[in-house]
Amino acid sequence: AQSVTQPDIHITVSEGASLELRCNYSYGATPYLFWYVQSPGQGLQLLLKYFSGDTLVQGIKGFEAEFKRSQSSFNLRKPSVHWSDAAEYFCAVGDYKLSFGAGTTVTVRA
Amino acid sequence: DTAVSQTPKYLVTQMGNDKSIKCEQNLGHDTMYWYKQDSKKFLKIMFSYNNKELIINETVPNRFSPKSPDKAHLNLHINSLELGDSAVYFCASDTQGAGETQYFGPGTRLLVL
């Protein structure tokens, strides 16, 4: 069975500081991994995804994620956070059917 | 141009009523999905259609019935609404294939009183 764990429910970060969101997955084969962002009152938007190749994946809005097979992790990072990055972030795993983590709420303080 | 649209955006109704949510995508995708996001923001897939054919049907009460009149539309009808049905329902679509990017609609916020 496939599943995703996002250990951090809520993260508060100062504007301009770096951000790292953790994601651990369980999957029977080589996983398709995704990070989606949900701004308040909006649908989900894909930030980046990984299946094969370079384990460091670049996405939109300055985000990147690193796949580590040995740790079953796919952590999301951003070097310098902007106030507009305040949102809910979801990690997901799957091929045709996605399983989402419970999400991490990111608050950005001035 | 809106890629994936849902109507209505908000839906407030009484227990026991029947309601429908509509979804349309203009991306030319052939696979569409319904997700339910509960009050804790947990997102779970309910159904998926590919070219009008049901391909994913999770453990969802029979009161929920999806209908896909064509590959650009996927509607969700809910009979005998219950308090626990209150949630945000998202429609999504993608092209057929493993690991494709799913494009989400803005959501329909359903409140059952």
Side-chain angles (χ1 to χ4, degrees):
Chain A
Q2 59 191 45
S3 66
V4 172
T5 301
Q6 292 181 246
D8 304 305
I9 297 173
H10 192 181
I11 287 180
T12 299
V13 61
S14 297
E15 194 168 13
S18 63
L19 174 68
E20 181 167 12
L21 304 181
R22 295 184 290 163
C23 171
N24 293 97
Y25 68 90
S26 173
Y27 194 75
T30 302
Y32 288 93
L33 291 158
F34 307 81
W35 274 101
Y36 281 86
V37 61
Q38 183 181 23
S39 297
Q42 303 296 316
L44 280 73
Q45 180 185 23
L46 181 74
L47 287 174
L48 46 80
K49 66 180 180 181
Y50 172 80
F51 174 62
S52 63
D54 191 344
T55 56
L56 186 62
V57 182
Q58 301 299 318
I60 63 171
K61 305 186 181 192
F63 284 93
E64 65 178 27
E66 186 172 13
F67 171 65
K68 293 186 177 180
R69 184 186 300 275
S70 61
Q71 298 177 20
S72 297
S73 69
F74 188 54
N75 294 348
L76 182 72
R77 297 193 292 257
K78 185 168 184 177
S80 177
V81 167
H82 187 262
W83 64 266
S84 60
D85 294 322
E88 191 80 19
Y89 291 80
F90 293 94
C91 182
V93 67
D95 44 26
Y96 298 95
K97 185 174 89 169
L98 297 187
S99 294
F100 285 82
T104 298
T105 303
V106 173
T107 298
V108 180
R109 60 180 173 225
Chain B
D1 281 346
T2 303
V4 182
S5 59
Q6 296 179 227
T7 54
K9 192 167 184 179
Y10 299 95
L11 189 52
V12 181
T13 188
Q14 299 288 328
M15 265 196 317
N17 284 349
D18 302 337
K19 291 293 179 185
S20 291
I21 306 171
K22 296 186 176 182
C23 177
E24 177 181 3
Q25 54 93 5
N26 62 5
L27 297 168
H29 291 162
D30 43 28
T31 304
M32 297 184 72
Y33 306 81
W34 278 113
Y35 287 88
K36 179 181 180 180
Q37 187 176 45
D38 64 23
S39 58
K40 295 184 179 179
K41 299 197 175 179
F42 183 66
L43 197 65
K44 186 170 169 54
I45 190 167
M46 301 172 69
F47 303 102
S48 175
Y49 271 75
N50 178 263
N51 278 321
K52 303 193 295 177
E53 181 181 345
L54 182 65
I55 57 171
I56 295 175
N57 186 356
E58 292 295 284
T59 307
V60 176
N62 291 337
R63 300 181 295 101
F64 290 79
S65 53
K67 283 190 172 52
S68 182
D70 56 59
K71 72 174 192 177
H73 295 83
L74 180 61
N75 303 324
L76 183 65
H77 188 75
I78 315 170
N79 288 325
S80 303
L81 278 156
E82 300 177 358
L83 294 177
D85 298 332
S86 296
V88 182
Y89 293 85
F90 286 101
C91 177
S93 71
D94 66 15
T95 56
Q96 187 178 14
E100 293 295 330
T101 299
Q102 293 186 17
Y103 292 81
F104 283 77
T108 295
R109 284 144 186 84
L110 172 65
L111 177 60
V112 182
L113 302 174

